[in-house]
Amino acid sequence: MSIVVPTTKEERIALIRENLAEELNFDIIEKIIDAGGSPKIYWGTATTGRPHCAYFVPAIKIAQLLAAGCEVTILLADIHAFLDNLKAPIEMVDHRATFYRYTITAVLEAVGVKTDKLKFVLGSSYQKSAEYVMDVYRLASVVSENDARRASAEIVKQSNNPPLSGLLYPVLQILDEEYLKVDAQFGGMDQRKLFIAAKEWLPKIGYKERAHIMNPIVPGLQGAKMSSSDPDSKIDILESAEAITKKIRKAEAIPKVVEGNGVLAFTEFVLLPAAGLRGKKEFIVERRDEEPLVYTSIEQMHSDYANDILTPQILKPAVSKALIELTAPIRAAYEASKDWQDITLKAYPPPEKKVKKVKDKGSRHPGKPGGKPEDKKPEVAAEGAAATTKEVEEATSQVANVSL
Amino acid sequence: MSIVVPTTKEERIALIRENLAEELNFDIIEKIIDAGGSPKIYWGTATTGRPHCAYFVPAIKIAQLLAAGCEVTILLADIHAFLDNLKAPIEMVDHRATFYRYTITAVLEAVGVKTDKLKFVLGSSYQKSAEYVMDVYRLASVVSENDARRASAEIVKQSNNPPLSGLLYPVLQILDEEYLKVDAQFGGMDQRKLFIAAKEWLPKIGYKERAHIMNPIVPGLQGAKMSSSDPDSKIDILESAEAITKKIRKAEAIPKVVEGNGVLAFTEFVLLPAAGLRGKKEFIVERRDEEPLVYTSIEQMHSDYANDILTPQILKPAVSKALIELTAPIRAAYEASKDWQDITLKAYPPPEKKVKKVKDKGSRHPGKPGGKPEDKKPEVAAEGAAATTKEVEEATSQVANVSL
């Protein structure tokens, strides 16, 4: 697969900027490009639940950054993942970090981007070092509780009685910029408050401020009705072709409504730019008894969708087909890698057989010594239900916690 | 100098308990004593300003603990001290920690206690280790912001916009119990909320809860009118005999009022128990043309003071005399130690010469190139003003932050 590599400064900058919602201190990146250099950019993700299709949104931007000659560091925030669920043993978190590395690499290779300027760093490789920790202490001394609360407002789960760690996370994430020695951090618009804090905080302890680039918040592929407890509501990166077709068929896509339309948004932020990276920015929608619709920009698609020329009925099969094509090399890489398969089992062990509670009919006194208050009866796991409810919840919390 | 060493279990326990305001889980200590063992107890202090006479209050309790056969660890919280004033270079903080070690050791030796079961630990020796840091992260994940705020309410400076570090301090102080491998922590009643939190928090991350013993909050030797910006308001541990006499003469001691009387409190919590440790719990007040008053308990003294038999006029010289006697070996140790003297200069360098601003009389245009807007005129430092205002403020903040 060939990839279109931008050659001029203007092309490189345009590719870095494509589809961004906002930039802060972009001149830092521009200056490096002007000098013919490679801006160092980092993106972080907590290695919790299995990556699903929403991960394609940052992944495409990362692919564009790599294609534009940036050095990209992906922080696998294993300590954060461990803290997010202290019940998960640390070994499982390690396996999940490895699983993330396999998956993200395969995703980037699937869009044909070279990964020689991509590196993965485990948070645990430096977030426990003496230097880092002193900086955590120092930053916590010059930053107020209020500042920390503001910076973390959109990236940690909000509650009436939040854990203290929620105030520590922004301190860590901001220090990561210094410790990963990057010029910029990339994240979703949900990171905006934290990125603004980063600009203010790092100079307080003598470090330089970085550039920040932000993706828009993109509606989920399956629409707003997506339920965190319904395993059907997410498309796993390794989902089978049949499951992709079935899940996209069930996705919410209100006719003529462009706003909040996850299927259109996925086309805009994943399928079209992925096609662009692979050499031809084009999205084809087959029609019965008519010529196919061929789109080269999202504006045409939005217009046709609003006018019901592009209907959900013809859009969905086109999206399924494109997503199946996009993920085919990922599935192939998975099938070919015994290591990746082994890690998957350790990272996300199959759910324990569920037990069905049988009501005590009163034949035994409850709690009677020797009595068995519950008959255990194995229940066949639903087809395709690879994740336990807990895991799906984790994956959801991760979306909330992670820069997409 | 000989010291009275308790021999029976009951005597040991009575000495540990003497003058305490409160105990939590004291049975942990009792069990170890019952088994003939040595309870391990820690006390922490941030190594900021020069230790002054208020330090005698915890020091006497520490001396009693040592005399009762406890192993005492003094945590010299250098990281806390560094964070308390990020402007002080880390080397100066190191020297201050050394100064504290010299001073505390001399104080304990002054009351004749053996220091073979005393050890000093620098916070920086373990508070930057990977294990400790992971525990900081873990504890921050299971403890709420509100819990942290409650635990630190009385030990960190309160303000409308407090630094985040204030919420981290209780996490660190509570983990110290585990990392110093102690059975109990000793502190002032201002630590009560933190100690209660310690009982609750440590088991949340799989560590056992410790015992806690608390000194009462003792009014300052110089009374409530003590000003943090007045260098005369504190008596340095190394103060000269003359200065001690002068400062105690100026101390607030309302006739007949026992409550809040710092001079009486100092007698109760320092001078009487120090005399007890040295073999004879007795406090003598000389009178003109009368037999001296000889006290062996504070109750007698309180009663006589309330009835104006023991007047401030005769109490103060007696307290001065006893304090001068108590501190004589400390001054002697200081005079004999070139190292200690050297460290003092590095830990608390003499104040910069103050400059007196001379008003510009209009003879030069303000800011005119080559013009000198201020004439610098050295000012002779006031006699006895060993500490700058900043240092005195630090010393005050330290009292607020430290378990006394």
Side-chain angles (χ1 to χ4, degrees):
Chain A
M1 201 185 297
S2 71
I3 187 165
V4 177
V5 177
T7 46
T8 70
K9 291 172 188 176
E10 291 71 24
E11 283 170 352
R12 292 179 69 192
I13 286 176
L15 190 56
I16 292 170
R17 285 186 145 155
E18 191 178 305
N19 277 343
L20 288 183
E22 191 171 344
E23 303 148 355
L24 300 169
N25 293 113
F26 195 78
D27 59 302
I28 293 172
I29 294 173
E30 247 172 338
K31 267 182 204 151
I32 298 168
I33 297 280
D34 278 346
S38 302
K40 296 184 185 64
I41 303 183
Y42 117 76
W43 175 77
T45 183
T47 54
T48 51
R50 281 177 72 118
H52 51 82
C53 274
Y55 273 76
F56 271 111
V57 178
I60 289 294
K61 175 46 67 189
I62 290 166
Q64 290 175 330
L65 296 175
L66 288 167
C70 300
E71 291 180 25
V72 177
T73 298
I74 293 180
L75 171 65
L76 299 172
D78 53 349
I79 290 183
H80 290 64
F82 175 67
L83 297 176
D84 190 52
N85 178 10
L86 287 173
K87 288 180 285 290
I90 193 89
E91 298 74 28
M92 188 184 281
V93 173
D94 284 348
H95 295 314
R96 289 181 176 188
T98 308
F99 181 87
Y100 268 63
R101 193 161 51 76
Y102 274 115
T103 307
I104 295 169
T105 305
V107 166
L108 293 171
E109 286 172 350
V111 291
V113 82
K114 276 192 190 169
T115 52
D116 57 325
K117 283 192 173 173
L118 171 73
K119 68 175 174 186
F120 291 92
V121 175
L122 284 174
S124 59
S125 69
Y126 65 90
Q127 289 165 347
K128 298 187 283 184
S129 73
E131 295 72 26
Y132 186 86
V133 169
M134 272 308 287
D135 277 340
V136 169
Y137 295 154
R138 284 171 66 212
L139 198 49
S141 299
V142 295
V143 158
S144 73
E145 283 181 33
N146 289 334
D147 289 343
R149 195 169 298 110
R150 205 175 301 122
S152 69
E154 289 180 36
I155 53 166
V156 302
K157 278 173 267 189
Q158 299 301 299
S159 78
N160 288 333
N161 196 25
L164 180 56
S165 53
L167 297 183
L168 269 185
Y169 288 151
V171 172
L172 270 64
Q173 189 173 340
I174 285 168
L175 284 174
D176 291 339
E177 296 184 350
E178 175 69 21
Y179 281 77
L180 293 171
K181 307 208 175 305
V182 295
D183 304 301
Q185 185 175 174
F186 160 57
M189 276 293 277
D190 54 332
Q191 307 285 319
R192 190 172 188 279
K193 285 177 181 172
L194 185 134
F195 286 177
I196 286 171
K199 278 167 53 66
E200 288 169 5
W201 294 7
L202 282 185
K204 286 185 194 225
I205 55 167
Y207 297 137
K208 64 179 186 207
E209 58 180 89
R210 269 60 183 194
H212 294 90
I213 54 176
M214 286 163 259
N215 258 356
I217 300 296
V218 175
L221 178 50
Q222 281 107 326
K225 283 184 187 161
M226 188 174 75
S227 157
S228 69
S229 58
D230 175 10
D232 277 351
S233 74
K234 289 223 165 65
I235 299 178
D236 192 273
I237 298 259
L238 289 167
E239 203 84 61
S240 70
E242 298 70 34
I244 290 174
T245 305
K246 190 176 140 193
K247 289 185 178 183
I248 288 185
R249 198 184 302 131
K250 285 161 70 176
E252 187 187 55
I254 303 165
K256 297 189 276 185
V257 179
V258 169
E259 182 113 357
N261 188 311
V263 181
L264 274 177
F266 195 77
T267 312
E268 178 177 2
F269 291 98
V270 178
L271 300 175
L272 264 176
L277 283 167
R278 289 142 97 195
K280 201 169 182 185
K281 191 170 174 179
E282 182 178 270
F283 185 75
I284 296 170
V285 180
E286 304 287 347
R287 292 189 288 182
R288 200 184 295 180
D289 309 324
E290 275 184 285
E291 285 297 293
L293 296 165
V294 179
Y295 295 106
T296 57
S297 83
I298 194 67
E299 289 75 21
Q300 290 174 273
M301 292 186 74
H302 283 175
S303 164
D304 281 4
Y305 194 85
N307 294 316
D308 221 20
I309 295 163
L310 177 60
T311 62
Q313 287 73 29
I314 60 171
L315 173 62
K316 283 180 173 182
V319 167
S320 292
K321 183 164 175 279
L323 180 54
I324 290 166
E325 270 175 30
L326 181 62
T327 52
I330 308 173
R331 281 188 299 275
Y334 179 78
E335 293 305 329
S337 171
K338 181 80 174 60
D339 285 350
W340 189 358
Q341 292 166 34
D342 286 348
I343 277 294
T344 308
L345 281 173
K346 291 173 186 162
Y348 304 100
E352 300 269 323
K353 299 287 183 200
K354 285 178 187 167
V355 294
K356 201 167 186 177
K357 201 167 181 175
V358 174
K359 274 191 183 161
D360 193 315
K361 298 289 196 299
S363 60
R364 293 186 299 268
H365 192 281
K368 187 182 163 185
K372 296 188 299 174
E374 287 178 15
D375 278 340
K376 293 193 179 180
K377 194 176 181 181
E379 196 179 67
V380 179
E383 193 212 343
T388 61
T389 302
K390 175 67 197 149
E391 278 168 353
V392 175
E393 279 168 5
E394 273 175 20
T396 312
S397 91
Q398 174 192 31
V399 173
N401 282 298
V402 141
S403 21
L404 284 181
Chain B
M1 200 185 302
S2 71
I3 186 165
V4 178
V5 176
T7 47
T8 69
K9 291 174 189 177
E10 291 71 23
E11 284 171 350
R12 292 180 69 193
I13 286 175
L15 192 55
I16 293 170
R17 284 187 145 154
E18 191 179 304
N19 276 345
L20 289 183
E22 191 171 344
E23 304 150 354
L24 300 169
N25 292 112
F26 194 78
D27 59 302
I28 293 172
I29 294 172
E30 246 172 339
K31 268 182 203 153
I32 298 167
I33 298 277
D34 278 348
S38 303
K40 295 182 184 67
I41 303 183
Y42 115 77
W43 175 76
T45 181
T47 52
T48 51
R50 281 178 74 118
H52 51 84
C53 274
Y55 273 77
F56 270 112
V57 178
I60 289 295
K61 175 45 67 188
I62 290 166
Q64 291 175 328
L65 296 175
L66 288 167
C70 301
E71 292 180 23
V72 176
T73 298
I74 293 180
L75 171 64
L76 299 172
D78 53 350
I79 289 183
H80 290 63
F82 175 67
L83 296 177
D84 191 51
N85 178 10
L86 288 175
K87 289 180 285 290
I90 193 87
E91 298 74 31
M92 189 184 280
V93 173
D94 285 347
H95 295 315
R96 288 180 177 189
T98 308
F99 182 87
Y100 269 63
R101 192 160 50 78
Y102 273 114
T103 307
I104 296 169
T105 306
V107 166
L108 294 171
E109 286 172 351
V111 291
V113 83
K114 275 192 190 169
T115 51
D116 57 326
K117 284 191 173 177
L118 171 72
K119 68 174 172 186
F120 291 92
V121 175
L122 284 173
S124 59
S125 69
Y126 66 90
Q127 288 165 348
K128 296 188 285 185
S129 73
E131 297 69 29
Y132 186 85
V133 170
M134 271 309 286
D135 277 341
V136 170
Y137 295 155
R138 284 172 68 212
L139 198 49
S141 299
V142 297
V143 158
S144 72
E145 282 180 33
N146 289 334
D147 289 344
R149 195 168 299 110
R150 204 175 302 122
S152 68
E154 289 181 37
I155 53 166
V156 301
K157 278 173 266 187
Q158 298 301 301
S159 79
N160 288 334
N161 195 26
L164 180 57
S165 53
L167 298 183
L168 269 184
Y169 288 151
V171 172
L172 270 64
Q173 190 173 340
I174 285 168
L175 284 175
D176 291 339
E177 295 184 350
E178 174 68 22
Y179 280 77
L180 294 172
K181 306 206 176 308
V182 296
D183 304 303
Q185 186 175 172
F186 159 58
M189 276 295 275
D190 53 333
Q191 306 285 319
R192 189 173 190 278
K193 286 179 179 171
L194 187 133
F195 286 176
I196 286 171
K199 279 167 52 67
E200 289 169 7
W201 294 7
L202 282 185
K204 287 187 193 221
I205 55 166
Y207 297 137
K208 64 180 187 207
E209 58 179 270
R210 269 59 183 196
H212 294 91
I213 55 177
M214 285 162 262
N215 258 357
I217 301 297
V218 175
L221 178 50
Q222 282 108 325
K225 284 186 187 158
M226 186 174 76
S227 156
S228 68
S229 57
D230 175 11
D232 277 352
S233 73
K234 291 223 163 64
I235 300 177
D236 192 272
I237 298 258
L238 290 168
E239 204 81 64
S240 69
E242 297 71 33
I244 290 174
T245 306
K246 188 175 140 194
K247 288 185 178 185
I248 289 185
R249 198 185 302 131
K250 285 163 70 178
E252 186 189 57
I254 303 166
K256 297 190 276 183
V257 178
V258 170
E259 181 111 0
N261 189 311
V263 182
L264 274 178
F266 195 78
T267 313
E268 177 176 5
F269 291 99
V270 177
L271 300 175
L272 265 177
L277 282 166
R278 289 142 97 194
K280 199 169 185 188
K281 191 171 176 178
E282 181 177 271
F283 185 76
I284 295 168
V285 179
E286 303 287 347
R287 292 190 288 185
R288 201 183 296 182
D289 310 324
E290 273 183 285
E291 283 297 294
L293 297 165
V294 179
Y295 295 105
T296 58
S297 83
I298 194 67
E299 289 74 20
Q300 290 174 270
M301 290 186 72
H302 282 174
S303 164
D304 281 4
Y305 194 85
N307 295 316
D308 221 20
I309 296 164
L310 176 61
T311 62
Q313 288 70 28
I314 59 172
L315 172 62
K316 284 181 172 182
V319 167
S320 292
K321 182 165 177 279
L323 181 54
I324 289 165
E325 270 174 30
L326 181 62
T327 51
I330 307 173
R331 281 188 298 275
Y334 179 80
E335 293 305 329
S337 170
K338 181 79 172 59
D339 286 348
W340 188 359
Q341 293 166 33
D342 286 348
I343 277 293
T344 309
L345 280 175
K346 291 173 187 165
Y348 304 99
E352 300 272 321
K353 299 287 185 202
K354 285 178 188 168
V355 295
K356 201 165 186 176
K357 201 167 180 175
V358 174
K359 275 192 185 161
D360 192 314
K361 299 288 200 296
S363 60
R364 291 185 303 266
H365 190 280
K368 187 183 165 183
K372 296 186 301 174
E374 286 178 15
D375 278 341
K376 292 191 179 182
K377 193 174 180 182
E379 194 177 68
V380 179
E383 193 211 344
T388 61
T389 303
K390 175 67 199 150
E391 278 168 354
V392 175
E393 278 169 3
E394 273 174 22
T396 312
S397 91
Q398 175 191 31
V399 173
N401 282 300
V402 142
S403 20
L404 284 180

